[in-house]
Amino acid sequence: MSQPRQSPARTLAAHAVLILWTLIALFPVFVTVVNSFKSKRAIFTQPLALPGPDSFDLVGYQTVANQGDFVAYFQNSLVVTCLSLFFVLLFGAMAAFALSEYRFRGNTLMGLYLALGIMIPIRLGTVAILQMMVATGLVNTLTALVLVYTAQGLPLAVFILSEFMRNVSDDLKNAGRIDGLSEYRIFFRLVLPLVRPAMATVAVFTMIPIWNDLWFPLILAPSESTKTITLGSQVFLGQFVSNWNAVLAALSLAILPVLVLYLIFSRQLIRGITAGAVK
């Protein structure tokens, strides 16, 4: 039986809504990047205009380049984000495999408990987290940020990956067991390659909040040696005078890793989202 074809009007309306949403989402990025190449006067007089011969100015990027600590801020953000992503994907995938593959008492209850982490913001426990980091001597270390971000990303990772792993063929896993593969080899060699779209989806959804976060770096790692790029951009914001050229230039540079990640995982991300929608 042939599938009913959607009407052209409905298709056009859906595309119009998606285009409008895309424009709204990209508008702040456009304003930030465009104004980073302007003089301060042009930023306030013509914020939506493209840089011209009279308004084009690289003073913001020059200020950022001359700020010796900015490279260190960028490295700190990169280290924290990469380590957090690694642990979230590794532990999240292992927990999702255990919940989806093995049946034990409390399996469903444990899944619901992990799902609560999606609904309850981790910032509600900021005071307790700070006290814990002070007691363990981890304040002003990147380790504190990695631990917090790993805990923050695990609930969503387990929720998404467990749904995908339930759809991995049991015959494939049983065939691996018959061939003498251990549970770890089945997990790493058979299951993980089949859930790469879901892994890419989790990676993108986890990286963006970590990279853009200002709350926990400000509370747990505010020293010069551990500042992230988002917190480091506050150097150009003063009580009376703010260097908006440098702020916009720094934020424009901070956007680059997110764009690179999306370009690398875009195909897997779209496959993961569409597969999740079908399920």
Coordinates of all heavy atoms in Angstrom, one line a residue, residues 138-217:
L138 N 39.8 20.1 45.7 CA 39.8 20.1 44.3 C 39.3 21.5 43.8 O 39.2 21.7 42.6 CB 38.8 19.1 43.8 CG 39.2 17.6 43.9 CD1 38.2 16.7 43.4 CD2 40.6 17.4 43.2
V139 N 39.2 22.5 44.6 CA 38.8 23.8 44.2 C 40.0 24.4 43.4 O 41.2 24.2 43.7 CB 38.5 24.7 45.4 CG1 38.2 26.1 44.9 CG2 37.2 24.2 46.1
N140 N 39.6 25.1 42.3 CA 40.7 25.7 41.4 C 41.5 24.7 40.7 O 42.7 24.8 40.5 CB 41.6 26.7 42.2 CG 40.9 28.0 42.5 OD1 40.1 28.5 41.7 ND2 41.2 28.6 43.6
T141 N 40.8 23.6 40.4 CA 41.4 22.5 39.5 C 40.5 22.2 38.4 O 39.3 22.3 38.6 CB 41.8 21.3 40.3 OG1 40.5 20.7 40.8 CG2 42.7 21.6 41.5
L142 N 41.0 21.8 37.3 CA 40.2 21.3 36.2 C 39.5 20.0 36.5 O 38.4 19.7 35.9 CB 41.0 21.2 34.9 CG 41.7 22.5 34.4 CD1 42.5 22.2 33.1 CD2 40.7 23.6 34.2
T143 N 40.0 19.2 37.4 CA 39.4 18.0 37.8 C 38.0 18.2 38.4 O 37.1 17.4 38.1 CB 40.3 17.3 38.8 OG1 41.6 17.0 38.3 CG2 39.7 15.9 39.2
A144 N 37.8 19.3 39.1 CA 36.5 19.6 39.7 C 35.5 19.8 38.6 O 34.4 19.3 38.7 CB 36.6 20.8 40.6
L145 N 35.9 20.6 37.6 CA 35.0 20.8 36.5 C 34.6 19.5 35.7 O 33.5 19.3 35.3 CB 35.6 21.9 35.5 CG 35.8 23.2 36.1 CD1 36.4 24.2 35.1 CD2 34.5 23.8 36.6
V146 N 35.7 18.7 35.5 CA 35.4 17.4 34.8 C 34.5 16.5 35.5 O 33.5 16.0 34.9 CB 36.8 16.7 34.5 CG1 36.5 15.3 33.9 CG2 37.6 17.5 33.6
L147 N 34.6 16.5 36.8 CA 33.7 15.6 37.6 C 32.3 16.1 37.6 O 31.3 15.3 37.4 CB 34.2 15.6 39.1 CG 35.6 14.8 39.3 CD1 36.0 15.0 40.8 CD2 35.4 13.4 38.9
V148 N 32.1 17.4 37.7 CA 30.8 18.0 37.7 C 30.1 17.8 36.3 O 28.9 17.4 36.2 CB 30.8 19.5 38.1 CG1 29.5 20.1 37.9 CG2 31.3 19.6 39.6
Y149 N 30.9 18.1 35.3 CA 30.3 18.0 33.9 C 30.0 16.5 33.6 O 29.0 16.3 32.8 CB 31.2 18.6 32.9 CG 31.3 20.1 33.1 CD1 32.5 20.8 32.8 CD2 30.2 20.9 33.4 CE1 32.6 22.2 33.0 CE2 30.2 22.3 33.5 CZ 31.4 22.9 33.3 OH 31.5 24.3 33.4
T150 N 30.8 15.6 34.1 CA 30.5 14.2 33.8 C 29.2 13.8 34.5 O 28.4 13.1 33.9 CB 31.7 13.3 34.3 OG1 32.9 13.7 33.6 CG2 31.4 11.9 34.0
A151 N 29.1 14.2 35.7 CA 27.8 13.9 36.4 C 26.6 14.6 35.8 O 25.5 14.0 35.7 CB 27.9 14.3 37.9
Q152 N 26.8 15.8 35.2 CA 25.8 16.5 34.6 C 25.3 15.8 33.3 O 24.1 15.8 33.0 CB 26.2 17.9 34.3 CG 25.3 18.8 33.5 CD 25.8 20.2 33.2 OE1 26.0 20.9 34.1 NE2 26.1 20.4 32.0
G153 N 26.3 15.3 32.5 CA 25.9 14.7 31.2 C 25.5 13.3 31.2 O 24.9 12.8 30.3
L154 N 25.8 12.5 32.3 CA 25.5 11.1 32.3 C 24.0 10.8 32.2 O 23.6 9.8 31.5 CB 26.1 10.5 33.6 CG 27.5 10.1 33.5 CD1 28.0 9.6 34.9 CD2 27.8 9.1 32.5
P155 N 23.1 11.5 32.9 CA 21.7 11.1 32.8 C 21.1 11.1 31.4 O 20.5 10.2 30.9 CB 20.9 12.1 33.7 CG 22.0 12.5 34.7 CD 23.3 12.5 33.9
L156 N 21.4 12.2 30.6 CA 21.0 12.3 29.2 C 21.6 11.2 28.4 O 21.0 10.6 27.5 CB 21.2 13.7 28.7 CG 20.8 13.9 27.2 CD1 19.3 13.8 27.1 CD2 21.3 15.3 26.8
A157 N 22.9 11.0 28.6 CA 23.6 9.9 27.8 C 23.0 8.6 28.0 O 22.8 7.8 27.1 CB 25.1 9.9 28.2
V158 N 22.7 8.2 29.3 CA 22.2 6.9 29.6 C 20.8 6.8 29.0 O 20.4 5.8 28.4 CB 22.1 6.7 31.1 CG1 21.4 5.4 31.4 CG2 23.5 6.6 31.7
F159 N 20.0 7.9 29.1 CA 18.6 7.8 28.6 C 18.6 7.6 27.1 O 17.8 6.8 26.6 CB 17.9 9.1 28.9 CG 16.5 9.2 28.5 CD1 15.5 8.6 29.1 CD2 16.2 10.0 27.3 CE1 14.2 8.7 28.7 CE2 14.9 10.1 26.9 CZ 13.9 9.4 27.6
I160 N 19.4 8.3 26.3 CA 19.4 8.2 24.9 C 20.0 6.9 24.4 O 19.5 6.2 23.6 CB 20.2 9.4 24.2 CG1 19.4 10.7 24.5 CG2 20.4 9.2 22.8 CD1 20.2 12.0 24.0
L161 N 21.2 6.6 25.0 CA 21.9 5.4 24.5 C 21.2 4.1 24.9 O 21.2 3.1 24.1 CB 23.3 5.3 25.1 CG 24.2 6.5 24.6 CD1 25.6 6.4 25.3 CD2 24.4 6.4 23.1
S162 N 20.5 4.0 26.0 CA 19.8 2.8 26.4 C 18.7 2.5 25.4 O 18.4 1.3 25.1 CB 19.3 2.9 27.8 OG 18.3 4.0 27.9
E163 N 18.0 3.6 24.9 CA 16.9 3.3 23.9 C 17.5 2.8 22.6 O 16.8 1.9 22.0 CB 16.2 4.7 23.7 CG 15.4 5.2 24.8 CD 14.3 4.2 25.3 OE1 13.7 3.6 24.4 OE2 14.2 4.1 26.5
F164 N 18.6 3.2 22.2 CA 19.2 2.7 21.0 C 19.8 1.3 21.2 O 19.7 0.4 20.3 CB 20.4 3.6 20.5 CG 19.9 4.8 19.7 CD1 19.4 5.9 20.4 CD2 19.9 4.8 18.4 CE1 19.0 7.0 19.7 CE2 19.5 5.9 17.6 CZ 19.0 7.0 18.3
M165 N 20.4 1.0 22.4 CA 21.0 -0.3 22.6 C 19.9 -1.4 22.7 O 20.2 -2.6 22.5 CB 21.8 -0.3 23.8 CG 23.1 0.5 23.6 SD 24.2 0.5 25.0 CE 25.6 1.5 24.4
R166 N 18.7 -1.0 23.1 CA 17.6 -2.0 23.2 C 17.2 -2.5 21.8 O 16.6 -3.6 21.7 CB 16.4 -1.4 23.9 CG 16.5 -1.2 25.4 CD 15.2 -0.9 26.0 NE 15.4 -0.7 27.5 CZ 15.5 0.4 28.1 NH1 15.5 1.5 27.3 NH2 15.7 0.5 29.4
N167 N 17.6 -1.8 20.8 CA 17.2 -2.2 19.4 C 18.4 -2.9 18.7 O 18.2 -3.2 17.5 CB 16.8 -0.9 18.6 CG 15.5 -0.3 19.1 OD1 14.4 -0.8 18.7 ND2 15.6 0.6 19.9
V168 N 19.5 -3.1 19.4 CA 20.6 -3.9 18.8 C 20.2 -5.3 18.8 O 19.7 -5.8 19.8 CB 21.9 -3.7 19.5 CG1 23.0 -4.5 19.0 CG2 22.3 -2.2 19.5
S169 N 20.4 -6.0 17.7 CA 19.9 -7.4 17.6 C 20.5 -8.3 18.7 O 21.7 -8.3 18.9 CB 20.3 -7.9 16.2 OG 20.1 -9.3 16.1
D170 N 19.6 -9.0 19.3 CA 20.1 -10.0 20.3 C 20.8 -11.2 19.6 O 21.7 -11.8 20.2 CB 18.9 -10.6 21.1 CG 18.3 -9.5 22.0 OD1 19.0 -8.6 22.4 OD2 17.1 -9.6 22.3
D171 N 20.5 -11.5 18.4 CA 21.1 -12.6 17.7 C 22.6 -12.3 17.5 O 23.5 -13.1 17.6 CB 20.4 -12.8 16.3 CG 19.0 -13.3 16.5 OD1 18.7 -13.9 17.6 OD2 18.2 -13.1 15.6
L172 N 22.9 -11.0 17.2 CA 24.3 -10.6 17.0 C 25.1 -10.7 18.2 O 26.2 -11.3 18.2 CB 24.3 -9.1 16.5 CG 25.7 -8.5 16.3 CD1 26.5 -9.2 15.2 CD2 25.6 -7.0 16.0
K173 N 24.5 -10.3 19.4 CA 25.3 -10.4 20.6 C 25.4 -11.9 21.1 O 26.5 -12.3 21.6 CB 24.5 -9.6 21.7 CG 24.6 -8.1 21.5 CD 23.8 -7.3 22.5 CE 22.3 -7.4 22.2 NZ 21.5 -6.5 23.1
N174 N 24.4 -12.7 20.9 CA 24.4 -14.1 21.2 C 25.5 -14.8 20.3 O 26.1 -15.7 20.8 CB 23.1 -14.8 21.1 CG 22.1 -14.2 22.2 OD1 22.5 -13.9 23.3 ND2 20.8 -14.2 21.9
A175 N 25.5 -14.4 19.1 CA 26.5 -15.0 18.2 C 27.9 -14.7 18.7 O 28.8 -15.6 18.6 CB 26.3 -14.5 16.7
G176 N 28.1 -13.5 19.2 CA 29.4 -13.1 19.7 C 29.8 -14.0 21.0 O 30.9 -14.4 21.2
R177 N 28.8 -14.2 21.8 CA 29.0 -15.0 23.0 C 29.3 -16.5 22.6 O 30.2 -17.1 23.2 CB 27.8 -15.0 23.9 CG 27.5 -13.6 24.5 CD 26.4 -13.6 25.5 NE 26.1 -12.3 26.1 CZ 25.2 -11.5 25.7 NH1 24.4 -11.8 24.7 NH2 25.1 -10.3 26.2
I178 N 28.7 -17.0 21.5 CA 29.0 -18.3 21.1 C 30.4 -18.4 20.6 O 31.1 -19.5 20.8 CB 27.9 -18.8 20.0 CG1 26.5 -18.9 20.6 CG2 28.3 -20.1 19.4 CD1 25.4 -19.2 19.6
D179 N 30.9 -17.4 19.9 CA 32.2 -17.3 19.4 C 33.3 -17.1 20.5 O 34.5 -17.1 20.2 CB 32.4 -16.2 18.4 CG 31.6 -16.6 17.1 OD1 31.3 -17.8 16.9 OD2 31.3 -15.6 16.3
G180 N 32.8 -16.9 21.7 CA 33.8 -16.8 22.8 C 34.1 -15.4 23.2 O 35.1 -15.2 24.0
L181 N 33.4 -14.4 22.7 CA 33.7 -13.0 23.0 C 33.2 -12.7 24.4 O 32.2 -13.2 24.8 CB 33.0 -12.1 22.0 CG 33.5 -12.1 20.6 CD1 32.8 -11.1 19.8 CD2 35.0 -11.8 20.5
S182 N 34.0 -12.0 25.2 CA 33.6 -11.5 26.5 C 32.6 -10.4 26.4 O 32.4 -9.9 25.3 CB 34.8 -11.1 27.3 OG 35.4 -9.9 26.7
E183 N 32.0 -10.1 27.5 CA 31.0 -9.0 27.5 C 31.6 -7.7 27.1 O 30.9 -6.9 26.5 CB 30.3 -8.9 28.9 CG 29.4 -10.1 29.2 CD 28.3 -10.3 28.2 OE1 27.6 -9.4 28.0 OE2 28.2 -11.5 27.7
Y184 N 32.8 -7.5 27.5 CA 33.5 -6.2 27.2 C 33.7 -6.1 25.7 O 33.6 -5.1 25.0 CB 34.8 -6.1 27.9 CG 34.7 -5.7 29.4 CD1 34.8 -6.7 30.3 CD2 34.4 -4.5 29.8 CE1 34.6 -6.4 31.7 CE2 34.2 -4.1 31.1 CZ 34.3 -5.1 32.1 OH 34.2 -4.8 33.4
R185 N 34.2 -7.2 25.0 CA 34.4 -7.2 23.6 C 33.1 -7.1 22.8 O 33.0 -6.4 21.8 CB 35.1 -8.5 23.2 CG 36.6 -8.5 23.6 CD 37.3 -9.6 22.9 NE 38.8 -9.6 23.1 CZ 39.7 -10.4 22.5 NH1 39.3 -11.2 21.7 NH2 40.9 -10.2 22.9
I186 N 32.0 -7.7 23.3 CA 30.7 -7.5 22.7 C 30.3 -6.1 22.7 O 29.8 -5.5 21.8 CB 29.7 -8.4 23.4 CG1 30.0 -9.9 23.1 CG2 28.3 -8.1 22.9 CD1 29.1 -10.9 23.9
F187 N 30.6 -5.5 23.9 CA 30.2 -4.1 24.0 C 31.0 -3.2 23.1 O 30.4 -2.3 22.4 CB 30.4 -3.6 25.5 CG 30.2 -2.2 25.8 CD1 29.0 -1.6 25.7 CD2 31.4 -1.4 26.1 CE1 28.9 -0.2 25.9 CE2 31.2 0.0 26.3 CZ 30.0 0.6 26.2
F188 N 32.3 -3.3 23.1 CA 33.2 -2.4 22.4 C 33.2 -2.7 20.9 O 33.3 -1.8 20.1 CB 34.6 -2.4 22.9 CG 34.8 -1.7 24.2 CD1 35.0 -2.4 25.4 CD2 34.7 -0.3 24.3 CE1 35.1 -1.7 26.6 CE2 34.9 0.4 25.5 CZ 35.1 -0.3 26.6
R189 N 33.1 -4.0 20.5 CA 33.3 -4.3 19.1 C 32.0 -4.5 18.3 O 32.0 -4.4 17.1 CB 34.2 -5.6 19.0 CG 35.6 -5.4 19.6 CD 36.4 -6.7 19.5 NE 36.6 -7.2 18.1 CZ 37.3 -8.3 17.8 NH1 37.8 -9.0 18.8 NH2 37.4 -8.6 16.5
L190 N 30.9 -4.9 19.0 CA 29.7 -5.2 18.3 C 28.6 -4.1 18.6 O 28.0 -3.6 17.6 CB 29.1 -6.5 18.8 CG 30.0 -7.7 18.5 CD1 29.3 -9.0 19.0 CD2 30.3 -7.8 17.0
V191 N 28.5 -3.7 19.8 CA 27.4 -2.8 20.1 C 27.7 -1.3 19.8 O 27.0 -0.6 19.2 CB 27.0 -2.9 21.6 CG1 25.9 -1.9 22.0 CG2 26.5 -4.3 21.9
L192 N 28.9 -0.8 20.3 CA 29.2 0.6 20.1 C 29.3 1.0 18.6 O 28.7 2.1 18.3 CB 30.6 0.9 20.8 CG 30.6 1.1 22.3 CD1 32.0 1.6 22.7 CD2 29.5 2.1 22.7
P193 N 29.8 0.2 17.7 CA 29.8 0.7 16.3 C 28.4 0.9 15.8 O 28.2 1.7 14.8 CB 30.5 -0.4 15.6 CG 31.4 -1.0 16.6 CD 30.6 -1.0 17.9
L194 N 27.4 0.1 16.3 CA 26.0 0.2 15.8 C 25.3 1.4 16.4 O 24.2 1.8 15.9 CB 25.3 -1.1 16.1 CG 25.8 -2.3 15.4 CD1 25.0 -3.6 15.9 CD2 25.7 -2.2 13.9
V195 N 25.8 2.0 17.5 CA 25.1 3.1 18.1 C 25.9 4.4 17.9 O 25.7 5.4 18.7 CB 24.8 2.9 19.6 CG1 23.8 1.7 19.7 CG2 26.1 2.6 20.3
R196 N 26.7 4.5 16.9 CA 27.5 5.7 16.6 C 26.6 7.0 16.4 O 27.0 8.0 16.9 CB 28.5 5.5 15.5 CG 29.7 4.7 15.8 CD 30.6 4.6 14.6 NE 30.0 3.9 13.5 CZ 30.6 3.7 12.3 NH1 31.8 4.1 12.1 NH2 29.9 3.1 11.4
P197 N 25.5 6.9 15.7 CA 24.7 8.1 15.6 C 24.2 8.6 16.9 O 24.2 9.8 17.1 CB 23.5 7.6 14.7 CG 24.1 6.4 13.9 CD 25.0 5.8 14.8
A198 N 23.8 7.7 17.8 CA 23.4 8.1 19.1 C 24.5 8.7 19.9 O 24.4 9.7 20.7 CB 22.8 6.9 19.9
M199 N 25.7 8.1 19.8 CA 26.9 8.7 20.5 C 27.2 10.1 20.0 O 27.5 11.0 20.8 CB 28.1 7.8 20.2 CG 28.0 6.4 20.8 SD 28.3 6.2 22.5 CE 30.0 6.3 22.6
A200 N 27.1 10.3 18.7 CA 27.3 11.7 18.1 C 26.3 12.6 18.7 O 26.6 13.8 19.0 CB 27.3 11.6 16.6
T201 N 25.0 12.2 18.8 CA 24.0 13.0 19.3 C 24.3 13.4 20.7 O 24.1 14.6 21.1 CB 22.6 12.3 19.2 OG1 22.4 11.9 17.9 CG2 21.5 13.2 19.7
V202 N 24.6 12.5 21.5 CA 25.0 12.7 22.9 C 26.2 13.7 23.0 O 26.2 14.6 23.9 CB 25.3 11.4 23.7 CG1 25.8 11.7 25.1 CG2 24.0 10.6 23.8
A203 N 27.2 13.5 22.2 CA 28.4 14.3 22.2 C 28.1 15.8 21.9 O 28.5 16.7 22.6 CB 29.4 13.8 21.2
V204 N 27.2 16.0 20.9 CA 26.9 17.4 20.6 C 26.0 18.0 21.7 O 26.3 19.2 22.1 CB 26.1 17.5 19.2 CG1 25.6 18.9 19.0 CG2 27.1 17.0 18.1
F205 N 25.0 17.3 22.2 CA 24.2 17.9 23.2 C 24.9 18.0 24.5 O 24.5 18.8 25.4 CB 22.9 17.0 23.4 CG 22.0 17.0 22.3 CD1 21.1 16.0 22.0 CD2 21.9 18.1 21.5 CE1 20.1 16.1 21.0 CE2 21.0 18.2 20.4 CZ 20.1 17.2 20.2
T206 N 26.0 17.3 24.7 CA 26.7 17.4 26.0 C 27.8 18.5 25.9 O 28.0 19.2 26.9 CB 27.4 16.1 26.3 OG1 26.4 15.0 26.4 CG2 28.1 16.1 27.7
M207 N 28.4 18.6 24.7 CA 29.5 19.5 24.6 C 29.1 21.0 24.7 O 29.7 21.8 25.4 CB 30.2 19.3 23.3 CG 31.3 20.4 23.0 SD 31.8 20.5 21.3 CE 32.9 21.9 21.4
I208 N 28.0 21.3 24.1 CA 27.6 22.8 24.0 C 27.4 23.3 25.4 O 27.9 24.4 25.7 CB 26.3 22.9 23.1 CG1 26.7 22.6 21.7 CG2 25.8 24.3 23.2 CD1 25.5 22.6 20.7
P209 N 26.6 22.7 26.3 CA 26.4 23.3 27.7 C 27.8 23.3 28.4 O 28.0 24.3 29.2 CB 25.5 22.3 28.4 CG 24.7 21.6 27.2 CD 25.7 21.5 26.2
I210 N 28.7 22.4 28.2 CA 29.9 22.4 28.9 C 30.8 23.5 28.4 O 31.4 24.3 29.2 CB 30.7 21.0 28.7 CG1 29.9 19.9 29.4 CG2 32.1 21.1 29.3 CD1 30.5 18.5 29.2
W211 N 30.9 23.7 27.1 CA 31.8 24.7 26.5 C 31.3 26.1 26.9 O 32.1 27.0 27.1 CB 31.8 24.5 25.0 CG 32.8 25.4 24.3 CD1 32.5 26.6 23.8 CD2 34.2 25.2 24.1 NE1 33.6 27.2 23.2 CE2 34.7 26.3 23.4 CE3 35.1 24.2 24.4 CZ2 36.0 26.5 23.1 CZ3 36.4 24.3 24.1 CH2 36.9 25.4 23.4
N212 N 30.0 26.3 26.9 CA 29.4 27.6 27.1 C 29.2 27.9 28.6 O 28.7 29.1 28.9 CB 28.1 27.8 26.4 CG 28.3 27.7 24.9 OD1 29.3 28.1 24.4 ND2 27.2 27.3 24.2
D213 N 29.4 27.0 29.5 CA 29.0 27.2 30.9 C 29.9 28.3 31.6 O 31.1 28.3 31.4 CB 29.2 25.9 31.7 CG 28.7 26.0 33.1 OD1 27.6 26.7 33.3 OD2 29.3 25.4 34.0
L214 N 29.3 29.1 32.3 CA 30.0 30.1 33.1 C 29.8 29.9 34.6 O 30.7 30.4 35.4 CB 29.4 31.5 32.7 CG 30.0 32.7 33.5 CD1 31.5 32.9 33.2 CD2 29.2 34.0 33.1
W215 N 28.8 29.2 35.0 CA 28.4 29.1 36.4 C 29.5 28.3 37.2 O 30.1 28.8 38.2 CB 27.1 28.3 36.5 CG 26.6 28.1 37.9 CD1 26.7 27.0 38.7 CD2 25.9 29.1 38.7 NE1 26.1 27.2 39.9 CE2 25.6 28.5 39.9 CE3 25.5 30.4 38.5 CZ2 24.9 29.1 41.0 CZ3 24.8 31.1 39.6 CH2 24.5 30.4 40.8
F216 N 29.8 27.1 36.8 CA 30.7 26.3 37.6 C 32.2 26.7 37.5 O 32.9 26.7 38.5 CB 30.6 24.8 37.2 CG 29.3 24.2 37.8 CD1 28.3 23.7 37.0 CD2 29.2 24.0 39.2 CE1 27.2 23.2 37.5 CE2 28.0 23.4 39.7 CZ 27.0 23.0 38.9
P217 N 32.6 27.2 36.3 CA 34.0 27.8 36.3 C 34.1 29.0 37.2 O 35.2 29.1 37.8 CB 34.2 28.2 34.8 CG 33.3 27.2 34.1 CD 32.1 27.0 34.9

